[in-house]
Amino acid sequence: MSAPLLSLRGMTKGYGPVKANQAIDLDVAPNSIHAILGENGAGKSTLMKLIYGVEAPDAGEVFWNGAPVHLHSPGEARRLGIGMVFQHFSLFETLTVVENISLIVAGTKATLAARIRELGRDFGLEVDPFAEVHALSVGERQRVEIIRCLMTEPKLLILDEPTSVLPPQAVGLLFETLRRLRDRGVSILFISHKLDEIQAICDRATILRAGRVTGNVDPREHDAHDLARMMIGRDMPPPLHPDPVEPGEVRLELSGLDHAPDDPFGVALQGVSLSLRAGEVLGIAGISGNGQSELSRLISGEVRLSEARRDDVRMLGQGVGHLGPGARRALGFAFVPEERLGRGAVPEMTLSDNSLLTAHGQGMLRRGFIDRVREAEFTAACIRDFDVRTPGPEAEAGALSGGNLQKFIMGREISLRPKVLFVAQPTWGVDVGAAAAIRQRLVAMRNEGVAVLVISEELEELFEVCDRIQVMHKGHLSASLDARTTRAEEIGRLMIGADGVAA
Amino acid sequence: MTLRLVRREKASTRMAVLAPLLALLAAMVLNLLLFLAMGKDPAAVFHAMLLEPFSSWAGFSEVLLKMGPLLLIAQGLAIGFRAKVFNIGAEGQFILGAIFASAIPVYFPQATGAWIWPAMLVLGALGGALWAVVPAFWRVRLNANEILVTLMMSLIAIQVLNYLLLGPWKDPMGFNFPQSVMFQYDAMIPILLPGTRVNVSLLIALFSALLAWAYMQRSFGGYQFLVGGLAPKAATYAGFSEARAIWLSLLIGGFAAGLAGAAEVAGPIGQLQRSISTGYGYAAIIVAYLGGLHPVGIVASSLFMAALYIGGDNAMVSADLPVAAVRVFQGTLLVCYLAAVTFVRFRLDFGASVEGGRV
Ligand SMILES: Nc1ncnc2c1ncn2[C@@H]1O[C@H](COP(=O)(O)OP(=O)(O)OP(=O)(O)O)[C@@H](O)[C@H]1O
Ligand SMILES: [Mg+2]
């Protein structure tokens, strides 16, 4: 093997009692796409943050082209030629895309905007340079992060779960980009929970478990099952494809919903109709930024309609368009949003206090006062039942690894025993073992007669859990398709509007 | 070696307690330099400012007297500040409280009965809350920034006070001074500590601290405020109404400030006059932040700020310090505190943290 571009020796990092990284050695060869594999909380993001200078190691050495270096800040890392796309976004929400990029990349706004458009076209990462970031969906923000990183022309590119929110087409394009970059002499550190992706583009894989390296392999020589076993230390459950159950009454219904968002960069919904019954799972496919976040806010009640249009959203036999989220929850509605930090959970609060956010109706209040014991019990049960890896209910939500926070929020909402469960990106950032567990859980809920609505960009996931699928494109929602008989290509066409659904 | 701020894994409780003390130390050092530059003897100044207020019972009772309104207003404001609703018009709400309370003795100067002073307090609190209705309504309905509106409402309050004192409420026997009649005995709050001017309103203020503690630290209502302040999107997601938080924040703040204003005219002052407030409404903002927006911290910081008022007066007399110097000290203290609280969530990193590393 040629002399490594980057070498780590004995990298160690602890957060209080949690040993996130323990004596990790890693060599990244030049012209290599190197995968880091591991369960949620294995320490992948932590290791990347050490390389990028965001966190300081407790011990360990870093060598760049054979010479020892000390990375105290992202600025220093960038000067060496290291670029990183974070798992949790680092964009300023009140600035536009091009303003965000100009913070790191030199150049006038006009030239930067032109390059953003050019890179977007080349790599299928299109985004309006003058849109304000807060108006972008999670998927679009991911595109901005990747573009920004590419614009710094790094020699080593770190991508922490870049594909978890990209649609399949964009993943294909991204991989082509990565291959082209590799051929031009860039090395890439690539984190993903999708093993087929890793096999498709990576030539090395380092496997982490509980903060230690447990293996170094060539992923092309192993099948996905082997990799999964090395990662989670047990066999993967087989995919579900559950049999249909007889659906019950209609529990959620939108009929021809039109909605123009207040936000000038939001997507207007036009004539959106869907009908969800008890005991079925309906999936909404589509590339993010096509109106999914607007739709989810209308269903959750975070955006309300006027009293006159209350029947545009019907839930459990009642017009709820004018009701807020609290009133809808009281009817038996639960919701997992696509943004975990800051929306689904308050990062500065403990997990216990985050339970209170939506589960306060579970006996946690006594005459308006908080019952701390009940709160902790509920949280501990959530942590146990959904295998959240954390020291306990007193951990701050912001300190959990991405996938573990997602498991916690899923667990909290499912524990509410809802009649209608709405989940956006259920397994985003969750490792293969936990993702399978979450999907099983969704199907189990359906079998118990819950009406489940899932928004996801992962077609395979939708095919695995859904009875029916509808596709969102430019604010329109397609007719309902049977998940058991429809082919993926057909959905893919609808996702890019090739069938002319978007009039 | 590079120096930089690193985010802590968890907010440090130790730093949260230390921050105000560090801020005090830093403010003292900075002002020491200032006093030296002014040619004053710093030792004499600090003695007058920081020690004299505590060295005699008479002095200390004056500190307690000033502590009452500061504590009351700051507790009310802190609730809003936690929800990131910035009511900086407590001064105006305080004045309105004083005006409303004064209405009873001004219109019924002969009235007697034990109901008078409690009724004045209630009326004053309502007056303060009423003054906060305007900014709350504008913020909720028109999204007008409450910082500006509350501030401007304070300027209006001062003019209302002037109008009343120069016109309809002027004491006819008062030699044309802009002040109301002296209040009758029953319009005065009973004295708490005999021989001093400290009255029962101090107990009300301490009780308010207890209420604030229960509300903010233990109740679901207070929790909703916290969520709204820390992560507004999470509050919307959970269905906590932003409008409710804004209304409650401003009304509670106005209510407490109005109560303080009423207690001031029905207490140490005994009539409505132009100088009823010595900037309590603004000083209470500093008190709230110095106390870490925590009900218990605010009890300590209000005591401290009150001592600083009395100490400042002392320093003016005994160390010949200009009035502005006290304000400068208060200001420096707030700035130092804001700098110090950074260390609650961040720590300094001296770069060379890699053991055995070569630099
Ligand atoms: N700021 C922090 N404070 C405390 N603990 C932390 C912090 N960041 C990470 N941890 C802990 O360190 C461990 C490793 O976290 P890390 O984010 O590196 O996991 P990961 O492998 O990236 O997982 P995922 O696949 O879920 O993103 C976890 O147990 C996590 O709880
Ligand atoms: Mg991670």
Side-chain angles (χ1 to χ4, degrees), chain B residues 1-2 21 30 89 98 199 203 214 261 325:
Chain B
M1 201 170 86
T2 50
L21 300 178
L30 285 173
N199 62 44
L203 287 185

Side-chain angles (χ1 to χ4, degrees), chain B residues 19-330:
Chain B
L21 300 178
L22 278 180
L24 175 61
L25 202 71
M28 281 177 65
V29 171
L30 285 173
N31 282 276
L32 180 90
L33 298 178
L34 183 70
F35 299 146
L36 283 176
M38 288 162 62
K40 311 284 178 205
D41 173 11
V45 175
F46 283 131
H47 184 264
M49 256 178 141
L50 301 174
L51 292 180
E52 261 174 47
F54 298 98
S55 56
S56 73
W57 173 237
F60 184 63
S61 75
E62 286 298 296
V63 172
L64 290 179
L65 186 69
K66 286 239 185 278
M67 175 182 167
L70 287 174
L71 176 58
L72 204 51
I73 304 172
Q75 292 291 9
L77 291 183
I79 291 175
F81 292 164
R82 297 280 288 260
K84 299 231 161 66
V85 176
F86 297 105
N87 171 9
I88 58 167
E91 184 79 359
Q93 293 144 15
F94 178 94
I95 292 174
L96 257 286
I99 291 175
F100 267 61
S102 302
I104 296 179
V106 165
Y107 288 117
F108 306 101
Q110 312 299 335
T112 52
W115 58 273
I116 296 181
W117 69 265
M120 286 169 70
L121 291 187
V122 171
L123 208 57
L126 291 180
L130 194 69
W131 211 239
V133 164
V134 180
F137 179 81
W138 280 36
R139 166 77 196 273
V140 170
R141 282 305 165 88
L142 306 170
N143 205 17
N145 185 317
E146 77 280 7
I147 299 180
L148 292 178
V149 180
T150 49
L151 191 62
M152 291 192 290
M153 290 297 289
S154 289
L155 302 181
I156 298 174
I158 293 173
Q159 295 312 322
V160 172
L161 178 67
N162 281 340
Y163 164 75
L164 290 173
L165 291 180
L166 294 170
W169 286 14
K170 187 162 68 180
D171 180 3
M173 326 286 271
F175 306 102
N176 234 0
F177 278 112
Q179 54 196 28
S180 74
V181 290
M182 289 302 292
F183 295 170
Q184 66 268 39
Y185 178 80
D186 281 342
M188 304 291 285
I189 305 174
I191 295 293
L192 180 68
L193 305 171
T196 71
R197 301 200 292 161
V198 180
N199 62 44
V200 173
S201 70
L202 180 64
L203 287 185
I204 298 178
L206 288 170
F207 183 65
S208 81
L210 194 70
L211 283 183
W213 177 82
Y215 188 62
M216 290 312 284
Q217 310 301 125
R218 288 285 176 271
S219 85
F220 189 52
Y223 168 85
Q224 297 188 17
F225 275 120
L226 294 186
V227 174
L230 289 171
K233 277 198 224 157
T236 316
Y237 161 76
F240 303 159
S241 156
E242 192 196 5
R244 178 179 170 274
I246 294 169
W247 273 107
L248 268 181
S249 295
L250 284 162
L251 289 181
I252 292 174
F255 188 92
L259 187 58
E264 201 63 12
V265 285
I269 298 182
Q271 68 183 154
L272 191 63
Q273 57 180 34
R274 267 172 149 177
S275 58
I276 44 175
S277 170
T278 29
Y280 284 136
Y282 301 114
I285 299 174
I286 307 181
V287 171
Y289 276 101
L290 271 186
L293 300 184
H294 190 288
V296 176
I298 291 172
V299 174
S301 64
S302 62
L303 179 68
F304 173 74
M305 187 61 88
L308 208 59
Y309 263 108
I310 304 297
D313 287 348
N314 290 342
M316 266 157 50
V317 180
S318 59
D320 186 26
L321 213 60
V323 194
V326 183
R327 294 280 167 84
V328 170
F329 192 89
Q330 288 179 359

